[in-house]
């Protein structure tokens, strides 16, 4: 298993600003994933982040809006840029195990 | 695009009752995972099934993977208030997971 922490746990931001979310894992992992969970909804994959390469984004998500860094095998960041109220969600990072993923506790973002 | 249809979306039952949650897709997945999520936390894996027709039991929870690896069910026997939470099925293909919309279960004492 893997233990994952995220910072911040929650934030309230003004529209037009940007927020960077950090994800730290207690072991080295190849793949890290970023998901969005809108209120009352399920998880939608934003992108897959591999160390040493550009993140791979899913349909509907672009790098300009959600830039991702993966500087090493235990850490990643997701930035939500030029935020609007529609970006209010829980953002979760996860890492790949064998036939499972381990999730962080999430970052609850509210955009006013 | 692979989609997972999960039903019911909401379920409110009394303690001691049994329930079944369904997860269906038109696509074949290499694995099917069930997660439970509590408020303020990330999803936690309950079980992974990989073989068509596979049945796994975890105390009062029984998980089944369809023969064609397109559908799955979660059955809870004698539900308890501690079972309350959001239950999510997720289909695995390559390294990605596709999540169903979830079933929000409330077990009333």
């Amino acid at each position: 298993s893997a233990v994952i922490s995220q910072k911040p746990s929650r934030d309230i931001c003004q529209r037009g600003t940007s927020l960077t979310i950090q994800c730290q894992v207690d072991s080295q992992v190849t793949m890290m994933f970023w998901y969005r969970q809108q209120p009352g909804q399920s998880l939608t994959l934003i992108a897959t982040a591999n160390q040493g390469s550009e993140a791979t984004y899913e349909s509907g998500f672009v790098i300009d809006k959600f830039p991702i860094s993966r500087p090493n095998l235990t850490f990643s960041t997701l930035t939500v840029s030029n935020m609007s109220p529609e970006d209010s969600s829980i953002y979760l990072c996860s890492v790949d195990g064998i036939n499972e993923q381990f999730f962080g506790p999430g970052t609850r973002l509210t955009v006013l | 695009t692979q989609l997972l249809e999960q039903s019911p979306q909401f379920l409110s039952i009394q303690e001691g009752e049994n329930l079944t949650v369904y997860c269906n897709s038109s696509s074949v997945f290499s694995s099917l995972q069930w997660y439970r999520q509590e408020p303020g936390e990330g999803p936690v894996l309950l079980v992974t099934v990989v073989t068509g027709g596979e049945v796994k039991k975890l105390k009062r929870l029984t998980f089944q993977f369809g023969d064609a690896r397109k559908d799955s069910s979660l059955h809870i026997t004698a539900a308890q208030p501690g079972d309350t939470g959001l239950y999510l099925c997720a289909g695995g293909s390559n390294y990605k997971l596709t999540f169903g919309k979830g079933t929000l279960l409330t077990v009333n004492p």
Side-chain angles (χ1 to χ4, degrees):
Chain A
S1 65
V3 177
I4 303 168
S5 60
Q6 285 185 235
K7 290 182 181 179
S9 58
R10 59 177 61 230
D11 207 342
I12 300 173
C13 301
Q14 297 296 321
R15 72 170 66 209
T17 63
S18 297
L19 176 72
T20 296
I21 302 167
Q22 300 178 6
C23 180
Q24 180 76 51
V25 190
D26 68 342
S27 58
Q28 293 185 338
V29 294
T30 304
M31 288 185 175
M32 295 180 76
F33 306 90
W34 286 98
Y35 289 86
R36 181 174 72 184
Q37 187 174 27
Q38 294 180 303
Q41 301 294 315
S42 188
L43 282 73
T44 301
L45 181 64
I46 297 171
T48 303
N50 292 333
Q51 194 266 337
S53 63
E54 293 286 331
T56 302
Y57 289 82
E58 297 299 306
S59 175
F61 298 96
V62 295
I63 188 171
D64 290 346
K65 175 68 176 176
F66 297 102
I68 288 171
S69 78
R70 183 78 201 274
N72 58 53
L73 291 173
T74 63
F75 187 79
S76 179
T77 68
L78 169 76
T79 298
V80 187
S81 303
N82 188 24
M83 288 184 284
S84 67
E86 292 71 34
D87 294 319
S88 297
S89 282
I90 298 172
Y91 291 85
L92 297 131
C93 68
S94 73
V95 301
D96 197 28
I98 299 175
N99 282 333
E100 69 175 304
Q101 287 186 12
F102 302 98
F103 286 85
T107 295
R108 183 179 294 272
L109 171 61
T110 302
V111 184
L112 303 178
Chain B
T1 302
Q2 296 179 311
L3 294 175
L4 275 169
E5 298 291 334
Q6 199 171 332
S7 63
Q9 187 176 357
F10 300 98
L11 191 55
S12 180
I13 62 173
Q14 293 300 120
E15 183 176 2
E17 293 183 359
N18 302 332
L19 67 113
T20 302
V21 178
Y22 300 94
C23 183
N24 298 292
S25 174
S26 58
S27 303
V28 175
F29 291 99
S30 57
S31 69
L32 201 296
Q33 300 167 28
W34 285 92
Y35 291 82
R36 178 163 160 257
Q37 185 179 22
E38 297 192 44
E41 299 182 9
V44 176
L45 181 73
L46 295 174
V47 79
T48 300
V49 285
V50 297
T51 305
E54 183 176 3
V55 177
K56 281 192 174 179
K57 291 192 175 184
L58 186 67
K59 296 184 180 179
R60 294 178 293 102
L61 278 60
T62 301
F63 304 86
Q64 187 163 3
F65 201 12
D67 291 341
R69 302 199 341 256
K70 293 182 180 181
D71 57 274
S72 182
S73 64
L74 157 61
H75 182 79
I76 301 179
T77 304
Q80 300 176 358
D83 295 327
T84 293
L86 178 66
Y87 289 82
L88 296 156
C89 65
S93 181
N94 295 321
Y95 55 84
K96 292 185 184 179
L97 289 180
T98 301
F99 280 86
K101 290 187 179 295
T103 295
L104 186 59
L105 172 65
T106 303
V107 183
N108 302 298

